[in-house]
């Protein structure tokens, strides 16, 4: 005995008395609309699944109760801007040439994902270092470890020289402004161009400048400067030096000469009294180091 599914009941128009029933016509329109929606749902379920495209934005924050509803690990990684590594599969064909072609595509896909993930990882490394170095510096935590300065701590603990740490902190805001519009590696040196743009014009100007520079391929400091100038975000050109400025430069040159004369004096003293000359040289070195720390805003 067959178990065929009975077709849905079709409302009859005009089945009532006196030449028709308006309610029946409404039922027919509702039935037709329901059938159309059913066909659309069936077509959608039969369509192939959409390819997951990595999004540069960070994954949304979820509560503990929502964590059980999160997608698979590979999907979360892709959302964070990383490409899931292609899984190994074997081709259906037994032809050697076709099998080689299949494996070749897989190798190229793995290499592409590895390069993309490396760039994203380097970008996040810059931001991760910047956030932590900035916190250590602002909280002056070098004092708790017995270091004289922030730079002494970073070089001894992490192998990061003071100027490198300060440069990473300096471009941190720029890197954070760009992390959700690009998965490319963000290098510290080119990002310096965008620091004054961030300070003067804000985050959106930084994004626009980066996107404009990326239109021409590899984003370099030169490309960023040209893009900033094109968009009107470049800092104003330096004005010709006035007489007052020239006089200030001359005085600065005199001060430099005085410092050099101090070095020459100690060098001459070394010929007569090496011990005293060394002591004065060490005092001068200490004073210069302290001055540099003050100028860098790092005096602890």
């Amino acid at each position: 005995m067959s178990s065929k599914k009975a077709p849905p009941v079709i409302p009859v128009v005009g089945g009532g008395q006196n030449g028709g029933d308006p309610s029946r016509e409404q039922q027919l329109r509702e039935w037709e609309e329901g059938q159309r929606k059913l066909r659309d749902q069936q077509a959608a379920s039969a369509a192939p699944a959409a390819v997951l495209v990595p999004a540069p934005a960070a994954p949304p924050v979820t509560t503990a109760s929502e964590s059980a509803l999160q997608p698979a690990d590979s999907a979360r990684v892709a959302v964070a801007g990383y490409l899931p590594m292609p899984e190994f599969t074997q081709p259906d064909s037994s032809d050697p040439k076709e099998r080689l072609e299949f494996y070749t595509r897989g190798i190229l896909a793995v290499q592409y994902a590895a390069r993309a993930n490396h760039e994203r990882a380097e970008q996040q490394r810059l931001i991760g270092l910047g956030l932590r170095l900035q916190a250590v510096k602002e909280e002056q935590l070098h004092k708790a470890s017995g270091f004289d300065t922030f730079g002494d701590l970073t070089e001894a603990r992490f192998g990061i020289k003071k100027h490198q740490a300060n440069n990473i902190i300096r471009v941190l805001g720029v890197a954070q402004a760009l992390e959700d519009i690009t998965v490319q590696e963000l290098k510290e040196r080119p990002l310096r161009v965008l620091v004054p743009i961030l300070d003067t014009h804000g985050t959106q100007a930084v994004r626009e400048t980066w996107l404009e520079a990326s239109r021409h391929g590899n984003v370099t400091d030169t490309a960023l400067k040209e893009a900033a100038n094109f968009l009107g975000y470049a800092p104003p050109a330096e004005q010709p030096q006035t007489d007052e400025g020239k006089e200030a430069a001359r005085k600065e040159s005199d001060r430099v000469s005085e410092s050099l004369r101090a070095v020459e004096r100690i060098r001459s003293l070394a010929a007569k009294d090496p011990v005293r000359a060394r002591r004065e040289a060490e005092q001068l070195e200490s004073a210069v180091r302290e001055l540099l720390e003050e100028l860098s805003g790092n005096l602890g």
Side-chain angles (χ1 to χ4, degrees):
M1 179 177 180
S2 62
S3 57
K4 292 184 179 181
K5 184 177 180 180
V9 179
I10 302 177
V12 179
V13 178
Q17 297 178 350
N18 300 326
D21 185 352
S23 64
R24 290 283 187 172
E25 295 180 5
Q26 179 63 26
Q27 292 177 13
L28 177 60
R29 284 193 292 270
E30 292 176 353
W31 178 84
E32 290 176 340
E33 179 64 16
Q35 292 298 302
R36 184 188 64 79
K37 291 181 178 179
L38 179 60
R39 288 193 299 271
D40 291 344
Q41 292 174 356
Q42 292 173 344
S45 62
V51 178
L52 181 62
V53 179
V61 177
T62 58
T63 62
S65 61
E66 295 171 330
S67 60
L69 303 178
Q70 293 300 305
D73 287 345
S74 60
R76 287 202 299 272
V77 168
V79 169
Y82 293 93
L83 292 176
M85 196 61 64
E87 295 183 0
F88 173 75
T89 58
Q90 293 189 354
D92 297 332
S93 173
S94 60
D95 182 82
K97 292 184 178 179
E98 293 181 357
R99 294 179 69 85
L100 175 59
E101 179 66 22
F102 180 88
Y103 290 134
T104 298
R105 288 195 299 268
I107 290 172
L108 296 177
V110 168
Q111 292 175 330
Y112 177 85
R115 287 195 304 270
N117 291 340
H118 172 75
E119 291 201 5
R120 181 65 168 182
E122 286 298 305
Q123 175 196 112
Q124 295 301 300
R125 182 183 72 88
L126 178 65
I127 295 175
L129 287 177
L131 288 169
R132 289 158 180 81
L133 289 171
Q134 180 175 258
V136 170
K137 181 178 180 181
E138 290 180 349
E139 297 177 29
Q140 298 186 358
L141 298 181
H142 61 275
K143 297 180 179 179
S145 301
F147 291 96
D148 293 334
T149 66
F150 167 71
D152 291 338
L153 169 64
T154 60
E155 186 166 3
R157 283 279 182 93
F158 317 119
I160 303 175
K161 294 185 179 297
K162 180 185 67 177
H163 74 276
Q164 293 176 318
N166 286 330
N167 285 335
I168 291 174
I169 294 172
R170 184 184 178 198
V171 303
L172 173 60
V174 171
Q176 289 177 305
L178 297 175
E179 70 170 325
D180 61 346
I181 66 170
T182 179
V183 296
Q184 294 183 27
E185 177 181 357
L186 299 177
K187 297 181 179 180
E188 174 265 321
R189 182 176 293 275
L191 295 187
R192 297 180 197 174
V193 176
L194 299 175
V195 172
I197 296 176
L198 177 65
D199 295 339
T200 305
H201 302 285
T203 299
Q204 186 59 32
V206 169
R207 297 167 183 258
E208 292 176 6
T209 302
W210 176 273
L211 292 174
E212 180 61 33
S214 65
R215 286 159 53 102
H216 308 288
N218 188 29
V219 180
T220 63
D221 51 352
T222 300
L224 289 170
K225 289 177 182 177
E226 292 175 349
N229 183 70
F230 173 74
L231 296 173
Y233 296 136
E238 295 183 2
Q239 299 298 322
Q241 198 173 46
T242 62
D243 292 339
E244 292 80 2
K246 293 179 181 178
E247 179 63 19
R250 185 188 65 78
K251 292 181 179 179
E252 180 65 23
S253 178
D254 291 343
R255 284 194 290 272
V256 172
S257 299
E258 290 175 3
S259 63
L260 294 178
R261 282 197 293 270
V263 173
E264 290 300 327
R265 184 183 63 79
I266 296 175
R267 183 175 286 113
S268 299
L269 179 61
K272 303 175 183 178
D273 190 348
V275 176
R276 181 182 173 187
R278 180 178 179 82
R279 184 168 59 250
E280 292 194 15
E282 290 174 349
Q283 291 174 352
L284 178 61
E285 180 186 22
S286 178
V288 170
R289 184 184 298 112
E290 183 177 353
L291 176 60
L292 290 175
E293 292 291 342
E294 290 177 354
L295 294 177
S296 301
N298 297 325
L299 186 60

